[in-house]
Amino acid sequence: MNKEELFNSIEKNLELGFSRSGGAGGQNVNKVNTKVRAAVSFESLEGLSQAEREQAKSRLKGCMNIEGKIFTEADDERFQERNRAIAVERLKAKIVQAAQLAKKRKKTKPTKASKEERLLKKKLRSKIKALRRERF
């Protein structure tokens, strides 16, 4: 994954929408469009390999609309500029996280020391239980 190329393509193809948001801000909430809705077309994203693209597409199905655009919203702050920055960062993080491929697990074997330790614990436990038994 080429993050720099991915982030550049997100910023280049970014679509922003604004609306009034609820929450803190008093009368400001009723007058100013501070809520930001950021969207980017999934097909326009660059910097992802084919495997990463397929992974991201399957993970982001719930965040995509019929047109294939990924959405995120921000109305945390009172100011549109701050909300705009938050929305863009959330969008970037969402795409990067969805495109992350899981690393292949390397099979390992228990070490000699761990095998010996396990056997020692079994012997100790066996002795403890043997002492509990009734003797005739």
Side-chain angles (χ1 to χ4, degrees), residues 52-67:
E52 290 169 336
R53 186 174 287 279
E54 290 172 10
Q55 174 88 16
K57 194 168 191 172
S58 68
R59 286 186 176 173
L60 293 173
K61 277 184 184 175
C63 303
M64 263 192 243
N65 67 1
I66 298 169
E67 299 168 1

PDB file of all heavy atoms in Angstrom, residues 52-67:
ATOM      1  N   GLU A  52      -5.471  -5.653  -1.846  1.00  0.00           N
ATOM      2  CA  GLU A  52      -5.911  -4.651  -0.867  1.00  0.00           C
ATOM      3  C   GLU A  52      -7.238  -4.027  -1.300  1.00  0.00           C
ATOM      4  O   GLU A  52      -8.110  -3.763  -0.477  1.00  0.00           O
ATOM      5  CB  GLU A  52      -4.850  -3.567  -0.709  1.00  0.00           C
ATOM      6  CG  GLU A  52      -3.605  -4.043  -0.011  1.00  0.00           C
ATOM      7  CD  GLU A  52      -2.467  -3.048  -0.092  1.00  0.00           C
ATOM      8  OE1 GLU A  52      -2.433  -2.214  -1.013  1.00  0.00           O
ATOM      9  OE2 GLU A  52      -1.587  -3.129   0.782  1.00  0.00           O
ATOM     10  N   ARG A  53      -7.382  -3.795  -2.598  1.00  0.00           N
ATOM     11  CA  ARG A  53      -8.616  -3.206  -3.129  1.00  0.00           C
ATOM     12  C   ARG A  53      -9.809  -4.133  -2.868  1.00  0.00           C
ATOM     13  O   ARG A  53     -10.872  -3.684  -2.424  1.00  0.00           O
ATOM     14  CB  ARG A  53      -8.447  -2.953  -4.626  1.00  0.00           C
ATOM     15  CG  ARG A  53      -9.586  -2.231  -5.276  1.00  0.00           C
ATOM     16  CD  ARG A  53      -9.261  -1.891  -6.713  1.00  0.00           C
ATOM     17  NE  ARG A  53      -8.293  -0.810  -6.806  1.00  0.00           N
ATOM     18  CZ  ARG A  53      -8.606   0.488  -6.691  1.00  0.00           C
ATOM     19  NH1 ARG A  53      -9.849   0.839  -6.497  1.00  0.00           N
ATOM     20  NH2 ARG A  53      -7.689   1.414  -6.774  1.00  0.00           N
ATOM     21  N   GLU A  54      -9.636  -5.431  -3.121  1.00  0.00           N
ATOM     22  CA  GLU A  54     -10.720  -6.394  -2.887  1.00  0.00           C
ATOM     23  C   GLU A  54     -11.055  -6.496  -1.398  1.00  0.00           C
ATOM     24  O   GLU A  54     -12.225  -6.561  -1.020  1.00  0.00           O
ATOM     25  CB  GLU A  54     -10.328  -7.766  -3.436  1.00  0.00           C
ATOM     26  CG  GLU A  54     -10.286  -7.818  -4.953  1.00  0.00           C
ATOM     27  CD  GLU A  54      -9.710  -9.115  -5.492  1.00  0.00           C
ATOM     28  OE1 GLU A  54      -9.507 -10.054  -4.688  1.00  0.00           O
ATOM     29  OE2 GLU A  54      -9.456  -9.174  -6.703  1.00  0.00           O
ATOM     30  N   GLN A  55     -10.011  -6.504  -0.572  1.00  0.00           N
ATOM     31  CA  GLN A  55     -10.196  -6.568   0.886  1.00  0.00           C
ATOM     32  C   GLN A  55     -10.988  -5.355   1.365  1.00  0.00           C
ATOM     33  O   GLN A  55     -11.942  -5.480   2.126  1.00  0.00           O
ATOM     34  CB  GLN A  55      -8.823  -6.610   1.571  1.00  0.00           C
ATOM     35  CG  GLN A  55      -8.862  -6.533   3.067  1.00  0.00           C
ATOM     36  CD  GLN A  55      -9.009  -7.889   3.703  1.00  0.00           C
ATOM     37  OE1 GLN A  55      -8.804  -8.903   3.067  1.00  0.00           O
ATOM     38  NE2 GLN A  55      -9.355  -7.910   4.956  1.00  0.00           N
ATOM     39  N   ALA A  56     -10.576  -4.169   0.932  1.00  0.00           N
ATOM     40  CA  ALA A  56     -11.235  -2.929   1.352  1.00  0.00           C
ATOM     41  C   ALA A  56     -12.681  -2.888   0.865  1.00  0.00           C
ATOM     42  O   ALA A  56     -13.580  -2.468   1.602  1.00  0.00           O
ATOM     43  CB  ALA A  56     -10.465  -1.725   0.827  1.00  0.00           C
ATOM     44  N   LYS A  57     -12.910  -3.330  -0.354  1.00  0.00           N
ATOM     45  CA  LYS A  57     -14.270  -3.295  -0.912  1.00  0.00           C
ATOM     46  C   LYS A  57     -15.222  -4.173  -0.105  1.00  0.00           C
ATOM     47  O   LYS A  57     -16.345  -3.776   0.190  1.00  0.00           O
ATOM     48  CB  LYS A  57     -14.250  -3.740  -2.372  1.00  0.00           C
ATOM     49  CG  LYS A  57     -15.526  -3.429  -3.104  1.00  0.00           C
ATOM     50  CD  LYS A  57     -15.360  -3.614  -4.589  1.00  0.00           C
ATOM     51  CE  LYS A  57     -16.556  -3.049  -5.327  1.00  0.00           C
ATOM     52  NZ  LYS A  57     -16.375  -3.040  -6.759  1.00  0.00           N
ATOM     53  N   SER A  58     -14.742  -5.361   0.295  1.00  0.00           N
ATOM     54  CA  SER A  58     -15.608  -6.245   1.074  1.00  0.00           C
ATOM     55  C   SER A  58     -15.844  -5.712   2.486  1.00  0.00           C
ATOM     56  O   SER A  58     -16.931  -5.848   3.038  1.00  0.00           O
ATOM     57  CB  SER A  58     -15.024  -7.659   1.129  1.00  0.00           C
ATOM     58  OG  SER A  58     -13.832  -7.673   1.880  1.00  0.00           O
ATOM     59  N   ARG A  59     -14.832  -5.081   3.071  1.00  0.00           N
ATOM     60  CA  ARG A  59     -14.980  -4.556   4.435  1.00  0.00           C
ATOM     61  C   ARG A  59     -15.805  -3.275   4.498  1.00  0.00           C
ATOM     62  O   ARG A  59     -16.404  -2.973   5.518  1.00  0.00           O
ATOM     63  CB  ARG A  59     -13.606  -4.298   5.053  1.00  0.00           C
ATOM     64  CG  ARG A  59     -12.890  -5.552   5.462  1.00  0.00           C
ATOM     65  CD  ARG A  59     -11.616  -5.215   6.181  1.00  0.00           C
ATOM     66  NE  ARG A  59     -10.950  -6.409   6.674  1.00  0.00           N
ATOM     67  CZ  ARG A  59      -9.757  -6.412   7.230  1.00  0.00           C
ATOM     68  NH1 ARG A  59      -9.085  -5.285   7.368  1.00  0.00           N
ATOM     69  NH2 ARG A  59      -9.217  -7.530   7.649  1.00  0.00           N
ATOM     70  N   LEU A  60     -15.781  -2.489   3.424  1.00  0.00           N
ATOM     71  CA  LEU A  60     -16.464  -1.197   3.424  1.00  0.00           C
ATOM     72  C   LEU A  60     -17.850  -1.239   2.789  1.00  0.00           C
ATOM     73  O   LEU A  60     -18.414  -0.185   2.493  1.00  0.00           O
ATOM     74  CB  LEU A  60     -15.599  -0.152   2.710  1.00  0.00           C
ATOM     75  CG  LEU A  60     -14.296   0.231   3.396  1.00  0.00           C
ATOM     76  CD1 LEU A  60     -13.468   1.123   2.503  1.00  0.00           C
ATOM     77  CD2 LEU A  60     -14.565   0.913   4.725  1.00  0.00           C
ATOM     78  N   LYS A  61     -18.400  -2.416   2.571  1.00  0.00           N
ATOM     79  CA  LYS A  61     -19.726  -2.519   1.949  1.00  0.00           C
ATOM     80  C   LYS A  61     -20.781  -1.701   2.687  1.00  0.00           C
ATOM     81  O   LYS A  61     -21.610  -1.055   2.068  1.00  0.00           O
ATOM     82  CB  LYS A  61     -20.174  -3.978   1.902  1.00  0.00           C
ATOM     83  CG  LYS A  61     -19.630  -4.743   0.751  1.00  0.00           C
ATOM     84  CD  LYS A  61     -20.197  -6.150   0.738  1.00  0.00           C
ATOM     85  CE  LYS A  61     -19.571  -6.964  -0.373  1.00  0.00           C
ATOM     86  NZ  LYS A  61     -20.007  -8.353  -0.344  1.00  0.00           N
ATOM     87  N   GLY A  62     -20.726  -1.721   4.016  1.00  0.00           N
ATOM     88  CA  GLY A  62     -21.724  -1.004   4.812  1.00  0.00           C
ATOM     89  C   GLY A  62     -21.572   0.505   4.768  1.00  0.00           C
ATOM     90  O   GLY A  62     -22.503   1.234   5.085  1.00  0.00           O
ATOM     91  N   CYS A  63     -20.404   0.996   4.385  1.00  0.00           N
ATOM     92  CA  CYS A  63     -20.151   2.441   4.336  1.00  0.00           C
ATOM     93  C   CYS A  63     -20.312   3.004   2.926  1.00  0.00           C
ATOM     94  O   CYS A  63     -20.115   4.193   2.722  1.00  0.00           O
ATOM     95  CB  CYS A  63     -18.728   2.739   4.810  1.00  0.00           C
ATOM     96  SG  CYS A  63     -18.373   2.135   6.437  1.00  0.00           S
ATOM     97  N   MET A  64     -20.610   2.137   1.959  1.00  0.00           N
ATOM     98  CA  MET A  64     -20.714   2.566   0.564  1.00  0.00           C
ATOM     99  C   MET A  64     -22.159   2.700   0.135  1.00  0.00           C
ATOM    100  O   MET A  64     -23.018   1.957   0.595  1.00  0.00           O
ATOM    101  CB  MET A  64     -20.045   1.521  -0.340  1.00  0.00           C
ATOM    102  CG  MET A  64     -18.645   1.854  -0.728  1.00  0.00           C
ATOM    103  SD  MET A  64     -18.100   0.765  -2.027  1.00  0.00           S
ATOM    104  CE  MET A  64     -16.768  -0.051  -1.204  1.00  0.00           C
ATOM    105  N   ASN A  65     -22.404   3.627  -0.775  1.00  0.00           N
ATOM    106  CA  ASN A  65     -23.743   3.745  -1.343  1.00  0.00           C
ATOM    107  C   ASN A  65     -23.778   3.012  -2.685  1.00  0.00           C
ATOM    108  O   ASN A  65     -22.810   2.358  -3.079  1.00  0.00           O
ATOM    109  CB  ASN A  65     -24.156   5.214  -1.482  1.00  0.00           C
ATOM    110  CG  ASN A  65     -23.332   5.964  -2.510  1.00  0.00           C
ATOM    111  OD1 ASN A  65     -22.448   5.421  -3.149  1.00  0.00           O
ATOM    112  ND2 ASN A  65     -23.632   7.234  -2.659  1.00  0.00           N
ATOM    113  N   ILE A  66     -24.882   3.118  -3.402  1.00  0.00           N
ATOM    114  CA  ILE A  66     -25.067   2.409  -4.672  1.00  0.00           C
ATOM    115  C   ILE A  66     -24.041   2.862  -5.712  1.00  0.00           C
ATOM    116  O   ILE A  66     -23.587   2.072  -6.528  1.00  0.00           O
ATOM    117  CB  ILE A  66     -26.509   2.632  -5.198  1.00  0.00           C
ATOM    118  CG1 ILE A  66     -27.503   2.061  -4.197  1.00  0.00           C
ATOM    119  CG2 ILE A  66     -26.694   2.006  -6.566  1.00  0.00           C
ATOM    120  CD1 ILE A  66     -28.930   2.446  -4.464  1.00  0.00           C
ATOM    121  N   GLU A  67     -23.646   4.124  -5.648  1.00  0.00           N
ATOM    122  CA  GLU A  67     -22.698   4.678  -6.615  1.00  0.00           C
ATOM    123  C   GLU A  67     -21.259   4.259  -6.332  1.00  0.00           C
ATOM    124  O   GLU A  67     -20.367   4.561  -7.106  1.00  0.00           O
ATOM    125  CB  GLU A  67     -22.785   6.205  -6.607  1.00  0.00           C
ATOM    126  CG  GLU A  67     -24.145   6.737  -6.996  1.00  0.00           C
ATOM    127  CD  GLU A  67     -24.281   8.214  -6.697  1.00  0.00           C
ATOM    128  OE1 GLU A  67     -23.316   8.826  -6.199  1.00  0.00           O
ATOM    129  OE2 GLU A  67     -25.355   8.755  -6.966  1.00  0.00           O
TER     130      GLU A  67
END
